[in-house]
Amino acid sequence: MENTPEFSTLPLSPQLRSGLDALGYQKMTPVQSLALPVILSGKDLIAQAPTGSGKTAAFGLGLLERIDASQVRTQSLVLCPTRELADQVGKQLRKLATGIPNLKLSILCGGIPLAPQLASLTHAPHVVVGTPGRILELIEKGALDLSSVAVFVLDEADRMLDMGFEEDIRAISKRMPKQRMGLMFSATFPEAIRALGKALLQNPVEVSVDSVESTPDIKARFIHTDAEKRMPQLAAALMHYRPQSTVVFCNMRRDTEEVVRSLAHYGFSALALHGDMEQRDREEVLVRFGNRSCSVLVASDVAARGLDIDIIDAVVNYELPSDADTYLHRIGRTGRAGRSGLALSLVSDGEDNRARVIDLHLGKATEWESIPALEGRPRAVPQAPMVTLRLDAGRTDKLRPGDIVGALTGDVGLKKEAVGKIDVFATRSYVAIAHPQAGQTLEKLRQGKIKGRKVRVNRL
Ligand code: AMP
């Protein structure tokens, strides 16, 4: 949202500004910045905008801007697929309308007794939010008069069609004046939605948040966690998804070491990467992660900056970062090179706000998931497939990768498949060996020679 304009750039009435101030909104979300100029100019709109994108405020500001509260008539109707959504939308509109004196808004949904609703309609509400079935029922009973509606909103139109509300919606629209503004929001755009848009809207402008931000190959999930159970929750998430290579991001450098210790306790092979490390230690950690002999890298943002590894199956936010850019940067490390990626974030109650800011930035709601935190140590923790051996000889000794492969497949007798990635530095080299063959390879290398000379070898 860093690059979207502020609400102050819009021609909004002072009454609505106070509502925005009360809600603490300053910058527009991507959908709002695309849709509001269209809505405020009075044009019809069809918008691709999922839950969490800030669409409610987009149509809310548009419809409230047109209310004349001195006229006791229903001037705006919002149709929603479910009672829960209608409640949510109604509440948010009430907050946005705090600066408009005497505004009456009614939420009218099925599943609630009819009599109190009928009673509440003796004075027409300025704004009605409801579900199609009940709204039609109230119209037919003569309790709701839509002949003065100036703004008609269809929220989550695709879901309303899925739920079989199309006929009701069409019937309701016939009770409104032809000269009205129509706004339709939908997460998806199947043919039926286009057809409905054609029938109910006049030359709608189309907007879509897809063009703003998208992370197509990354499956992102927010995982609820108790703040004090973050560690067992992390272990549970890793056990649940079993990624082969994972980068866990911590907000604080000092947390990285602690998370590594806990993961080791659970049986994972994990290493820390943070800014305080010696260059050589840092290189070694990156070699071990890159050659698959360590399956979890626990990193701080700064340390991970130069991380250029293609095989990251999952990124986990041990905590959510405070800004959406860092989040995007972190999760962008998975799903590269045409692979699909997984981005998991542990979110405690106090971090809901961060989660919301991230959703707003992405223009879509990240799915939440509950995975029970681990109790005790798990069995069958996924192991890294390789082991790293360090050779104390390198480029300055004229050692090349081919020499190492030669020694391993020749004297040591390994099959080529058991030899993994080889990294040669100035004075050291690293080779990854398949886990089952690692012990025996170490022994043989220690006894034998590489390129005609003895080399010190250690297992990391
Ligand atoms: P919605 O997609 O309409 O359900 O909105 C998602 C959430 O974002 C709601 O909790 C809104 O209160 C919040 N929200 C909407 N617009 C903004 C904004 N411009 N700045 C901050 N929060 C917002």
Side-chain angles (χ1 to χ4, degrees), residues 44-46 180 182-184 196-204:
D44 281 11
L45 172 89
I46 176 162
R180 60 172 193 240
L183 311 173
M184 185 159 110
L196 188 68
K198 240 192 183 134
L200 302 185
L201 309 173
Q202 287 177 12
N203 301 320

Side-chain angles (χ1 to χ4, degrees), residues 114-335:
L114 197 61
Q117 286 188 357
L118 287 172
S120 81
L121 289 171
T122 46
H123 289 283
H126 300 108
V127 181
V128 168
V129 180
T131 48
R134 178 57 61 94
I135 297 288
L136 193 58
E137 198 179 347
L138 290 165
I139 295 171
E140 281 164 358
K141 287 204 170 345
L144 186 63
D145 173 13
L146 299 183
S147 63
S148 300
V149 166
V151 183
F152 173 40
V153 180
L154 293 160
D155 194 10
E156 305 207 353
D158 49 354
R159 276 180 76 198
M160 289 202 279
L161 291 196
D162 287 347
M163 293 169 75
F165 283 137
E166 177 159 1
E167 255 179 60
D168 289 355
I169 294 169
R170 287 180 186 257
I172 292 166
S173 85
K174 296 210 172 81
R175 307 302 186 102
M176 288 182 260
K178 282 216 163 62
Q179 280 306 317
R180 60 172 193 240
M181 183 163 81
L183 311 173
M184 185 159 110
F185 291 80
S186 189
T188 59
F189 274 99
E191 197 38 51
I193 285 289
R194 294 196 176 277
L196 188 68
K198 240 192 183 134
L200 302 185
L201 309 173
Q202 287 177 12
N203 301 320
V205 176
E206 290 192 22
V207 306
S208 159
V209 281
D210 260 0
S211 53
V212 180
E213 203 77 75
S214 67
T215 41
D217 288 333
I218 300 177
K219 171 169 144 181
R221 294 286 181 272
F222 288 155
I223 300 173
H224 273 293
T225 183
D226 283 346
E228 65 280 10
K229 285 204 181 149
R230 218 175 266 281
M231 226 11 266
Q233 191 68 64
L234 170 62
L238 293 175
M239 288 302 290
H240 181 82
Y241 281 103
R242 308 181 78 82
Q244 285 204 14
S245 69
T246 305
V247 178
V248 175
F249 280 98
C250 295
N251 292 351
M252 313 266 216
R253 193 187 55 213
R254 63 166 186 274
D255 286 342
T256 55
E257 299 277 8
E258 205 176 308
V259 170
V260 164
R261 272 196 295 280
S262 301
L263 283 174
H265 162 79
Y266 282 111
F268 293 93
S269 64
L271 292 170
L273 184 73
H274 58 73
D276 265 1
M277 292 165 71
E278 299 278 337
Q279 177 65 14
R280 176 179 167 142
D281 292 339
R282 186 187 147 82
E283 264 169 22
E284 219 156 69
V285 165
L286 290 176
V287 163
R288 291 165 74 184
F289 184 65
N291 72 16
R292 320 205 73 149
S293 54
C294 149
S295 51
V296 188
L297 186 69
V298 184
S300 63
D301 289 297
V302 180
R305 219 164 257 167
L307 189 66
D308 184 26
I309 292 174
D310 273 342
I311 52 150
I312 300 170
D313 297 322
V315 165
V316 182
N317 291 299
Y318 184 65
E319 287 166 297
L320 279 180
S322 56
D323 63 291
D325 277 349
T326 306
Y327 176 83
L328 275 176
H329 203 244
R330 286 180 180 181
I331 73 169
R333 304 207 166 268
T334 180

